[in-house]
Amino acid sequence: MIPFLHAATACVLATMVLGAQAQDVTGDPAAGQRKAAMCIGCHGIPNYRASFPEVHQVPMISGQGAKYIAAALNGYRSGERRHPTMRGVAGSLTDQDIADLSAYYASHPPAASTAAAAAPSEQVAELLKRGNCMSCHGENLNKPIDGSYPKLAGQHADYLFVALKAYQGGNGRNTGRGNAIMAGMAKPYNAAELKAMADHIAALPGDLRTVTQGRFR
């Protein structure tokens, strides 16, 4: 188990790293809606699956925090996050574009859910405790302690699994994420443990959803 103090320190360091990427630009949700044409072909179709470099449902980003969306897009733009499609998209964006798109998706109302969070199995509870996941991602993994961390609850399980594997280093130049803090958190787990955690987190009620947009309505 990672001691709480170590995890809290990791959270502070991650905030500093992600904060260095973020630009001091105010986002406009209305402008972001006009710029979202390149996003809706994947993120605006419920249960749409990416086919390269791995097959998985694209993540739900409506209801996600603006600071996290901006940090993720900056990561794809810089190459810290290796994904050919997202690198191409993010590389075409200005700082203002990123701020506007982040504000737009963060402005979507959260998913309506009255379900209570299911208790994890004994195995999953131990895995989550070992990683001290809630120390950064918050209550029920849906209330991050800092906006640059993602909401995880309810996210697609197959995407969560692929993302966690990516923090372990990925396979080759098309996958992997360079965040040293998350790498340290993810590397101790084997694939079966990552999948067990991803399945549990996906079943939690949260704010994330897919908002059908434009011609896909």
Side-chain angles (χ1 to χ4, degrees):
M1 179 182 71
I2 300 174
F4 176 79
L5 181 59
H6 289 179
T9 302
C11 289
V12 172
L13 291 173
T15 301
M16 293 171 62
V17 171
L18 292 171
Q21 297 174 342
Q23 303 296 319
D24 187 18
V25 179
T26 300
D28 178 356
Q33 183 176 21
R34 295 191 296 271
K35 297 175 179 180
M38 69 182 74
C39 308
I40 61 178
C42 294
H43 295 285
I45 304 176
N47 302 313
Y48 183 81
R49 290 182 179 273
S51 58
F52 180 81
E54 292 192 61
V55 177
H56 61 81
Q57 293 183 86
V58 298
M60 293 178 281
I61 57 176
S62 290
Q64 188 64 269
K67 283 181 67 176
Y68 169 71
I69 296 174
L73 287 171
N74 276 298
Y76 286 119
R77 187 170 63 172
S78 70
E80 177 200 349
R81 290 185 172 209
R82 296 194 297 275
H83 188 285
T85 302
M86 284 303 303
R87 179 69 187 273
V89 170
S92 72
L93 302 175
T94 66
D95 293 339
Q96 187 65 60
D97 293 335
I98 288 177
D100 292 342
L101 288 167
S102 301
Y104 171 59
Y105 281 103
S107 73
H108 292 166
S113 176
T114 58
S121 67
E122 184 176 341
Q123 176 208 14
V124 171
E126 178 58 34
L127 295 174
L128 294 172
K129 183 179 180 182
R130 189 199 310 172
N132 217 342
C133 303
M134 287 191 292
S135 67
C136 288
H137 297 285
E139 181 184 355
N140 291 329
L141 303 177
N142 191 54
K143 297 184 183 301
I145 65 168
D146 184 270
S148 58
Y149 306 135
K151 300 175 183 179
L152 302 179
Q155 186 61 270
H156 299 305
D158 54 356
Y159 167 74
L160 290 171
F161 178 59
V162 166
L164 287 167
K165 287 195 302 177
Y167 285 119
Q168 292 181 325
N171 299 307
R173 63 189 180 90
N174 290 323
T175 61
R177 297 185 180 184
N179 185 307
I181 304 304
M182 277 303 302
M185 298 291 187
K187 282 182 178 178
Y189 297 98
N190 62 40
E193 291 171 334
L194 293 180
K195 187 176 186 306
M197 288 193 294
D199 288 344
H200 169 71
I201 295 168
L204 296 174
D207 294 345
L208 305 178
R209 64 192 183 107
T210 298
V211 174
T212 305
Q213 302 163 69
R215 66 179 184 277
F216 299 110
R217 285 181 176 168

